[in-house]
Amino acid sequence: MTDSDLPPRPAPAPRATPPSDAHRAWVGDAIATIAAELNRSADTHLLRLPLPALPGIDLYLKDESTHPTGSLKHRLARSLFLYGLVNGHIREGTTIVEASSGSTAISEAYFARLLALPFVAVAPEGTAARKLEQIALLGGECVLVPGAGIYAAAARIARERGGHYMDQFTNAERVTDWRGNNNIAESLFAQMSREPHPVPAWVVVGAGTGGTSATLGRWVRYRPRYAATRIAVADPEFSVFHAYHRDGDASIVGARGSRIEGIGRPRVEPSFVRELVDEVIPVPDAQSLGAIRWLERVIGRRVGGSTGTNLCAALALAQRMHARGESGSVVTLICDGGERYADTIWDASWLAREGLDPAPHAAHLRDATGIG
Ligand SMILES: Cc1ncc(COP(=O)(O)O)c(C=O)c1O
């Protein structure tokens, strides 16, 4: 192979105007503003759920719904802004654009407002109205497009407005500091340190971008103390992650989007790192929606659907451990609150339209756990 066989090098991108002192000062202030926001934020709680029917197994819920913007995406949005700022992608007045099922967009709208930047959320048609209202309340603009079109539409809008496309699906796994900086792994493992089983057998999360599972998968490899901890992904209907994890075919495409907002994707997302996930557990949507009704009876408040998917997978692993005579702890996430989904998963007519009956699954969990 000679140089002449190599494909021609792409012409180097014209160098943006050298960063002016004013620009550097603005970036410095912006980063200080984000650091101050972090300093004002308390860490999220870790709830312990006793399971009388599964003695020896402790279940924990990391409650990410208590973030200022109501979901686990608060951490990702902070990281995406810091990454955009230090790389010169975000400048004073830059329009921020994101493709999102709503949670990330709410968190990004919050940070955009903190930095006085215009924000555009490109969301799939059918996104919960309450989420869109929250984005608008935070000063964001919402653009609705058919599900599969959110990526291209977001990139186009950013180009047309000379803005910056945050692209969570590509960047989630790279913008999060997996070694620390209060990432979700550092936080939950520190909170487990005084528990009877401080090294969890399993940590169970859903996957939208895949960023959360990647951060956890890297952490348990980076910290030898957690070598025994396995990472499982709970996958709803209409998602390709399960088949991709099994077969490794990244070109697989699903027929439609997921009904459990925030998780399950009709394509393999760049931030879903297959090698960092030990098991993917498919969970039927009716079971996920039964689980959140069971949890409402246990903790007295409503959560989002992805938490139900997490719970089903976590309890299936707890039952498997119990059946094998193992003891230990299983940790999963409350990803967001249920108030956002009053018009969808918590609405009887929406359930009827979707042909979903969660009631028998809520009852099953009550018997299987001994509470609720
Ligand atoms: C409510 C909810 N749960 C879970 C997730 C999954 O998180 P990740 O994107 O880190 O895979 C998302 C992602 O958007 C979400 O919105």
Side-chain angles (χ1 to χ4, degrees):
M1 158 113 51
T2 65
D3 273 2
S4 59
D5 301 328
L6 292 172
R9 263 181 205 284
R15 191 159 156 55
T17 47
S20 67
D21 293 351
H23 165 63
R24 290 293 297 274
W26 182 85
V27 168
D29 291 346
I31 289 173
T33 300
I34 293 176
E37 191 276 339
L38 175 59
N39 192 49
R40 290 194 300 275
S41 299
D43 202 352
T44 58
H45 308 292
L46 185 69
L47 312 178
R48 183 176 178 186
L49 233 58
L51 303 173
L54 299 170
I57 314 289
D58 298 327
L59 178 66
Y60 296 84
L61 300 176
K62 175 74 171 157
D63 187 0
E64 294 289 286
S65 73
T66 54
H67 281 291
T69 54
S71 88
L72 78 173
K73 291 295 174 168
H74 196 80
R75 298 179 195 269
L76 174 64
R78 188 186 287 126
S79 298
L80 283 163
F81 271 90
L82 290 171
Y83 187 80
L85 286 163
V86 297
N87 283 293
H89 302 148
I90 300 177
R91 298 165 166 260
E92 189 165 11
T94 297
T95 297
I96 305 294
V97 184
E98 183 60 285
S100 162
S101 66
S103 306
T104 307
I106 293 168
S107 302
E108 288 185 19
Y110 168 91
F111 283 100
R113 189 173 68 172
L114 270 184
L115 302 181
L117 299 172
F119 178 73
V120 182
V122 179
E125 284 156 359
T127 295
R130 306 276 172 111
K131 284 184 171 176
L132 303 176
E133 284 162 19
Q134 273 190 283
I135 296 165
L137 205 71
L138 289 160
E141 178 190 340
C142 296
V143 176
L144 296 182
V145 301
I150 57 170
Y151 317 101
R156 178 179 46 76
I157 291 169
R159 253 193 331 275
E160 286 167 2
R161 301 192 190 186
H164 174 57
Y165 173 31
M166 294 285 240
D167 191 3
Q168 61 161 335
F169 292 103
T170 301
N171 294 319
E173 62 85 13
R174 74 180 64 153
V175 302
T176 302
D177 183 348
W178 50 270
R179 278 165 291 204
N181 249 327
N182 195 45
N183 69 44
I184 193 166
E186 181 180 46
S187 173
L188 79 83
F189 283 105
Q191 291 170 322
M192 285 296 294
S193 60
R194 292 173 178 271
E195 297 305 308
H197 302 284
V199 177
W202 289 93
V203 179
V204 182
V205 297
T209 62
T212 304
S213 55
T215 301
L216 287 157
R218 288 172 178 149
W219 182 269
V220 295
R221 285 164 178 76
Y222 175 56
R223 297 290 179 119
R225 174 172 159 72
Y226 301 109
T229 300
R230 296 289 175 270
I231 307 300
V233 162
D235 207 29
E237 292 172 30
F238 310 114
S239 176
V240 298
F241 288 135
H242 177 240
Y244 169 58
H245 189 260
R246 185 190 59 219
D247 311 330
D249 173 8
S251 68
I252 187 173
V253 176
R256 54 159 290 177
S258 156
R259 286 184 292 204
I260 307 296
E261 285 190 38
I263 59 169
R265 301 295 307 164
R267 71 170 201 185
V268 176
E269 299 296 354
S271 284
F272 182 85
V273 185
R274 180 169 176 256
E275 296 72 20
L276 295 173
V277 174
D278 298 286
E279 191 168 339
V280 176
I281 300 172
V283 177
D285 294 349
Q287 288 186 20
S288 297
L289 303 182
I292 58 175
R293 285 162 172 78
W294 168 78
L295 188 65
E296 183 187 22
R297 294 170 62 89
V298 175
I299 66 173
R301 61 189 162 88
R302 293 184 167 184
V303 297
S306 65
T307 302
T309 315
N310 288 346
L311 270 171
C312 291
L315 288 166
L317 290 167
Q319 285 169 321
R320 187 201 289 174
M321 288 167 67
H322 187 251
R324 291 178 181 169
E326 296 167 6
S327 62
S329 57
V330 176
V331 182
T332 191
L333 308 184
I334 293 178
C335 299
D336 63 356
E339 60 288 342
R340 297 176 168 178
Y341 307 101
D343 313 323
T344 55
I345 56 173
W346 285 100
D347 177 63
S349 54
W350 183 90
L351 290 171
R353 272 198 309 280
E354 295 291 334
L356 294 168
D357 179 12
H361 304 290
H364 165 72
L365 284 184
R366 192 177 53 238
D367 303 338
T369 60
I371 52 169

